[in-house]
Amino acid sequence: MASRMVLSLEWVDGEDGFLRLLDQTLLPREVRYLECRDAAVVWEAIHQLRVRGAPAIGIAAAYGLYLGVRKLAGCNDAAKFVREVDGVRDYLAGSRPTAVNLFWALDRMQKLAHRLAASTSVPAIASALLAEAQAIHDEDRRLCRAIGRHGAGLLQDGDGVLTHCNAGGLATSEYGTALAAIYAAVEAGKRVHVYADETRPLLQGARLTAWELQANGVPVTLLCDNMAAQVLREGRVQAVIVGADRIAANGDTANKIGTYGLAILAAYHGVPFYVAAPRTTFDLSLADGTKIPIEQRDPREVTHGFGRPTSPDGVDVYNPAFDVTPAKLIRGIIFEGGVISPVCTETIARALGGSETEVGFSDGAARRESRSSRDG
Ligand code: MRU
């Protein structure tokens, strides 16, 4: 299934290699690619959501850092090169504040440059940075596949699944996180019907999730955000699965604005609410979600959401791009090592500390728990 997916981003090799990004602001009407040859174009693409979704932002930023410093790859002053790395790192880190994958990827690149600087030539450091960005990209493919395998185990034949925003192939290297669970379930022969919230104000659910699922032949029904309660009440949904932009040490999870409300609705209706995210989305430096920075965006996204004014001139607008869902509303976090359930500081620390085989969090336990609460 992934082979038919339109790639959100791709490194194009060559003398003057570049990052090719799918401009997601134009979907679903137009499939157009953007060629990024310097850090400023990558910064703008992240800031404007041409590339978006936490893992894809991290991958783009890693390539962006390499693109930003490669002009100095021929110099023989390692200290100067590393200062440039630091500057480009800080510059790209200012493109968006919430998705921790951005900082994780940039810091990984920066650390590598610092480590190599003492003993390696500048051209070799530059090559290593490109290889590191490609490694981050490749790793994300594997993480998404593993998330899909674990997430699919939570779904049964005939399930309806509600999702919010886009946590699919477009938001990652290719397979997605929340949508990976659905793709893997479908690949395993289960019939799954997806309900996609349109996700105001920028309509990632309508423009991206509905488009991506349609393109991959997965049945999808589009909902306005305010219809979720009714759809849950009607019993059409057996699981809610969303992605994440940053997960604090205790499991509190930042994701697209509207996710928190959906988690409350799911709890009220006894429907299990899952978060799907790789370990690169966890921020263990934050004890809980209160300190997660929430991006505030341009009021025009709300007042001119459909290409024309939809409100009176001068009206006051509040436009946070994300909200934080408390851990206690999350039945399980699906990551590449399994399903963390219950969600709390101890289980997360244990899960992230172990390798895949060591993690003692079985999909079966989370599934049994969710089924019994649903049936009961
Ligand atoms: O503002 P966006 O479109 O970047 O927000 C994206 C989301 O909220 C996704 O759910 C999240 O990044 C997870 S993507 C696998």
Side-chain angles (χ1 to χ4, degrees), residues 49 52-55 96 165-167 171-172 177 204 244-245 255-256 322:
L49 277 58
R52 32 70 49 206
R96 288 189 82 183
C165 193
N166 174 265
T172 62
T177 56
Q204 287 93 330
D245 284 83
N255 191 51
K256 179 55 54 193
F322 300 96

Side-chain angles (χ1 to χ4, degrees), residues 269-302:
H269 290 93
V271 171
F273 180 93
Y274 298 106
V275 168
R279 71 174 60 223
T280 52
T281 303
F282 287 79
D283 182 354
L284 300 185
S285 75
L286 301 180
D288 58 43
T290 53
K291 293 280 186 328
I292 297 178
I294 300 295
E295 179 180 11
Q296 302 292 324
R297 292 191 62 88
D298 189 341
R300 283 183 64 89
E301 292 178 353
V302 177

